Amino acid sequence: MSKPLGTVATLESATPVQACCAPLTSEELSEEAAEVMAAMFKALGDPVRLRLFSKIASHPDGEACVCDIQDVGVSQPTVSHHLRRLREAGLITSDRRGTWIYYRVAPSVLAALSGMLRESD
């Protein structure tokens, strides 16, 4: 799952995600695009991961330290597990600064997800 998929970002990469496909109402997904998008939606299908993703996406600085987002009702190791799953799905990127890790939504990922779900023009 880590090979390039045309205009779709590879999983586990920090490359910008571009709209992979036309809206679902205008044409069907290719097999490759469906795999990538399904992995993203599957990662967001867990309530803890969705909350973490939301905390990162809505953070005022555009990035969030793990120390600022870990209060989601689970232990720190579980938070780390969920953040790893979000990274593996290509939804977030991370940067270590000293002892802390900072997370941000991967470039264009929100546009890719919403672009696929929007109605065609």
Side-chain angles (χ1 to χ4, degrees), residues 1 6 9 12-13 15 20 32 34 55-56 62 73 88 91 95 97 104 109-110 113-114 116-117:
M1 274 203 241
E12 301 184 53
S13 74
T15 56
C20 71
E32 291 177 315
K55 284 176 171 276
I56 295 165
E88 289 171 350
L91 293 166
D95 180 36
R97 298 182 201 154
R104 70 197 64 70
V109 77
L110 295 175
L113 293 170
S114 63
M116 187 185 78
L117 295 176

Side-chain angles (χ1 to χ4, degrees), residues 39-115:
M40 289 183 183
F41 283 115
K42 182 177 180 180
L44 292 173
D46 180 278
V48 172
R49 286 194 289 269
L50 187 56
R51 287 188 64 210
L52 288 167
F53 185 76
S54 173
K55 284 176 171 276
I56 295 165
S58 65
H59 201 273
D61 299 328
E63 66 179 6
C65 175
V66 69
C67 60
D68 295 330
I69 60 172
Q70 64 187 3
D71 59 339
V72 290
V74 296
S75 67
Q76 186 279 323
T78 303
V79 167
S80 294
H81 164 77
H82 286 300
L83 289 169
R84 186 180 79 241
R85 296 289 304 269
L86 291 170
R87 271 195 328 270
E88 289 171 350
L91 293 166
I92 61 173
T93 61
S94 62
D95 180 36
R96 180 177 290 278
R97 298 182 201 154
T99 58
W100 295 109
I101 299 177
Y102 288 79
Y103 294 92
R104 70 197 64 70
V105 172
S108 305
V109 77
L110 295 175
L113 293 170
S114 63

Side-chain angles (χ1 to χ4, degrees), residues 21-29 114-121:
C21 37
L24 289 175
T25 57
S26 66
E27 68 184 52
E28 65 182 66
L29 288 173
S114 63
M116 187 185 78
L117 295 176
R118 72 175 162 62
E119 287 196 43
S120 59
D121 299 328

